[in-house]
Amino acid sequence: MKKKAASVVLAGAMALSLAVGCTPVFAGETEAAATGGATLNPNTKNAEELTLWHYFDAAADAKAIIDFANEYNELQDKVYINPTYVARQELMNQYTIGAVSGELPDIGMVDSPDMESYISLGVFEDVTKQLGDWEDLDKFFPGPLSSCKDADGKIYGLPQNSNCLTLAANMDALKEAGIDKLPTSLDEFKEDVEKATNSDKSQFGFAMCAISTEEGTFQLLPWIVATHDGTKTSLTNLTDEKAAIGLD
């Protein structure tokens, strides 16, 4: 029987799951990417060892993973978590390969926009029964938790972190363009974007992620919702005229 991975998700965010039988590839690995300078305490309790694959390559994030693992490992003596850094692109490739070979992690990380794809590929284990009676399950925000479910409501992971999209502005660039306050309407926004655009400096008044992946979709759909004409755009019909209001 093929092995499936358990998962935890960073919603807005990410999901975690682990693989056994695969050799991680450390593409461009550095000490900071692997541990963030932190030290993993040894498995002195002879606990069952589970490897957690993550792609946190910022030193602070990598250190946090090690610190959390040490804290968990000290709380009990049955399970020992061993965090292992794998470059993000290589990790995604390993999940896809593992869906066919059955060689998947025990716990592993994916970005929440990718979660649905990996669920459909059979990468993650259905943990609905294990979590069904957990009294703390309702403490997760509905949105992030929904990113860990399939269309039937079965749970395949848990949110580990949640990101929030926001519109950031370079106030110095706006002031240089003669703008002294942030726009409060879509019309004002379009006017300010035009003023702040300077082709001679290769400077654009607005930019956003729109890559052709689930992550690009994660960026674009909230923008469509935020720029409708006030009548509540339905995201089930992206051909609706209202859905294009913020895209022209």
Side-chain angles (χ1 to χ4, degrees):
M1 182 175 68
K2 291 184 178 180
K3 175 180 173 56
K4 294 187 178 182
S7 60
V8 182
V9 179
L10 296 177
M14 278 180 254
L16 294 177
S17 52
L18 283 192
V20 169
C22 296
T23 301
V25 179
F26 303 103
E29 179 186 353
T30 64
E31 182 179 354
T35 68
T39 301
L40 182 66
N41 296 336
N43 183 5
T44 59
K45 301 177 181 179
N46 294 320
E48 179 182 1
E49 187 164 331
L50 300 180
T51 302
L52 185 159
W53 284 4
H54 70 89
Y55 54 76
F56 280 150
D57 54 7
D61 292 334
K63 180 180 183 301
I65 286 286
I66 298 293
D67 290 342
F68 286 143
N70 282 334
E71 181 179 359
Y72 178 80
N73 293 339
E74 289 301 316
L75 287 174
Q76 43 75 53
D77 58 9
K78 294 182 179 180
V79 176
Y80 175 86
I81 301 296
N82 182 9
T84 303
Y85 169 77
V86 184
R88 179 168 179 168
Q89 187 58 48
E90 181 58 35
L91 183 57
M92 299 302 103
N93 290 337
Q94 288 297 326
Y95 286 144
T96 303
I97 294 171
V100 177
S101 67
E103 298 293 338
L104 289 167
D106 299 300
I107 309 171
M109 178 181 291
V110 300
D111 201 349
S112 61
D114 298 315
M115 185 69 176
E116 184 175 353
S117 296
Y118 287 115
I119 290 175
S120 64
L121 283 173
V123 171
F124 295 124
E125 186 72 42
D126 179 357
V127 292
T128 308
K129 289 184 178 180
Q130 291 88 331
L131 296 175
D133 296 328
W134 187 32
E135 59 185 11
D136 289 336
L137 188 61
D138 60 357
K139 293 182 180 180
F140 289 92
F141 289 117
L145 185 59
S146 68
S147 69
C148 306
K149 298 179 179 180
D150 65 10
D152 297 322
K154 295 178 182 177
I155 305 174
Y156 292 82
L158 289 173
Q160 189 270 341
N161 194 328
S162 294
N163 298 330
C164 296
L165 296 177
T166 185
L167 183 64
N170 183 329
M171 297 307 297
D172 291 336
L174 293 184
K175 289 179 180 178
E176 186 178 335
I179 303 167
D180 57 8
K181 64 181 181 67
L182 293 176
T184 57
S185 70
L186 185 59
D187 287 339
E188 287 183 9
F189 174 81
K190 290 180 178 180
E191 291 175 5
D192 289 350
V193 166
E194 185 174 352
K195 291 178 183 178
T197 297
N198 187 330
S199 56
D200 293 336
K201 295 182 178 180
S202 297
Q203 174 179 298
F204 301 91
F206 176 66
M208 71 177 296
C209 171
I211 59 176
S212 183
T213 67
E214 288 87 348
E215 191 167 3
T217 303
F218 169 75
Q219 303 281 334
L220 189 60
L221 290 184
W223 177 255
I224 293 175
V225 171
T227 55
H228 64 70
D229 65 355
T231 60
K232 208 67 173 169
T233 299
S234 171
L235 297 183
T236 61
N237 183 11
L238 293 181
T239 63
D240 192 299
E241 290 182 3
K242 302 183 186 68
I245 290 175
L247 303 178
D248 56 13

